[in-house]
Amino acid sequence: DADVTQTPRNRITKTGKRIMLECSQTKGHDRMYWYRQDPGLGLRLIYYSFDVKDINKGEISDGYSVSRQAQAKFSLSLESAIPNQTALYFCATSDGQGPGEKLFFGSGTQLSVL
Amino acid sequence: SQQGEEDPQALSIQEGENATMNCSYKTSINNLQWYRQNSGRGLVHLILIRSNEREKHSGRLRVTLDTSKKSSSLLITASRAADTASYFCAPKETSGSRLTFGEGTQLTVNP
């Protein structure tokens, strides 16, 4: 089983719909992140959480919200989806142990907003 | 936030050749990490080099870091078709707590 699991893998929705992307991890890491990837723009950080009670905005949080339900679960919501939110979304985790920490990524959710 | 800038944007080579990708960044870093992404998949950590290191090896990978020039390079020796992927550098700011990523280098290794 994957250490960082994202569901769904693909989603097609219509403008204005509410969408939730889910991420769960079995690595026991405290830190979790949501990134989006667009062609030619690399990865951009949406939100991140260093523990269950700590939620922080990233570079592009407008139009998104998150919920850290437990150490292992971090959900990303689009309250009213719009076409320019069409992208590949990644969840990642890290252990936050010192400056050498590295990220572990899920397989991604391809979201298309029509 | 700190963001690495990879160069070139795209690189196409023949199997068996070496591939070199470069990364530049702007401010002081604690370490710099390289990641690989196969098409449509999540990023996978390859190697980390600390600010007090100049060179690091891992299998066919060689990473260098020049903090005076604020640059790093990733060399893949004896490339294989399976090395075809996008490669990202991620500088970790001295004062920062997050990793940021550039646009990556798309490497194509032709059989």
Side-chain angles (χ1 to χ4, degrees):
Chain A
D1 287 341
D3 294 320
V4 183
T5 302
Q6 291 184 234
T7 55
R9 285 284 285 131
N10 290 281
R11 181 73 184 267
I12 300 173
T13 190
K14 294 182 178 179
T15 297
K17 294 290 187 181
R18 184 178 188 275
I19 296 296
M20 179 180 285
L21 308 183
E22 300 191 6
C23 177
S24 62
Q25 51 115 347
T26 58
K27 300 192 74 67
H29 289 168
D30 286 326
R31 300 185 172 193
M32 298 187 74
Y33 307 78
W34 276 104
Y35 288 88
R36 68 176 275 178
Q37 185 176 31
D38 300 89
L41 292 177
L43 275 79
R44 292 181 291 169
L45 183 62
I46 307 172
Y47 270 96
Y48 61 103
S49 169
F50 284 174
D51 65 42
V52 176
K53 296 180 181 179
D54 178 70
I55 303 288
N56 303 280
K57 292 183 177 180
E59 306 166 64
I60 52 161
S61 58
D62 287 348
Y64 301 95
S65 62
V66 290
S67 173
R68 184 81 185 266
Q69 299 96 324
Q71 185 205 38
K73 295 184 182 294
F74 192 36
S75 301
L76 176 72
S77 293
L78 288 68
E79 295 302 324
S80 180
I82 55 177
N84 75 3
Q85 291 177 312
T86 293
L88 184 55
Y89 289 84
F90 288 105
C91 174
T93 74
S94 70
D95 62 11
Q97 296 299 316
E101 66 176 296
K102 58 188 181 185
L103 296 180
F104 296 85
F105 284 80
S107 296
T109 294
Q110 178 62 58
L111 176 66
S112 297
V113 183
L114 305 179
Chain B
S1 287
Q2 181 72 283
Q3 183 176 34
E5 189 171 314
E6 295 91 348
D7 175 69
Q9 285 189 320
L11 180 61
S12 181
I13 60 174
Q14 295 299 122
E15 210 164 26
E17 294 180 340
N18 295 342
T20 299
M21 289 158 271
N22 302 297
C23 171
S24 59
Y25 58 91
K26 295 187 174 68
T27 63
S28 297
I29 61 170
N30 192 299
N31 65 66
L32 187 142
Q33 303 180 29
W34 285 90
Y35 289 77
R36 183 188 72 214
Q37 182 185 30
N38 290 92
S39 181
R41 309 296 293 180
L43 279 70
V44 175
H45 182 268
L46 290 176
I47 194 166
L48 179 153
I49 186 165
R50 301 182 194 280
S51 60
N52 62 353
E53 297 176 310
R54 291 296 167 258
E55 187 170 312
K56 199 161 183 180
H57 296 255
S58 177
R60 293 184 296 112
L61 304 180
R62 173 179 168 250
V63 171
T64 63
L65 179 65
D66 186 336
T67 53
S68 66
K69 295 181 180 178
K70 294 186 170 53
S71 66
S72 174
S73 67
L74 172 67
L75 169 68
I76 303 174
T77 61
S79 63
R80 306 166 181 168
D83 294 328
T84 294
S86 291
Y87 292 82
F88 296 84
C89 70
K92 182 82 178 293
E93 286 182 22
T94 304
S95 59
S97 56
R98 306 165 295 165
L99 280 178
T100 56
F101 296 85
E103 296 172 22
T105 291
Q106 173 60 54
L107 173 66
T108 301
V109 181
N110 301 298

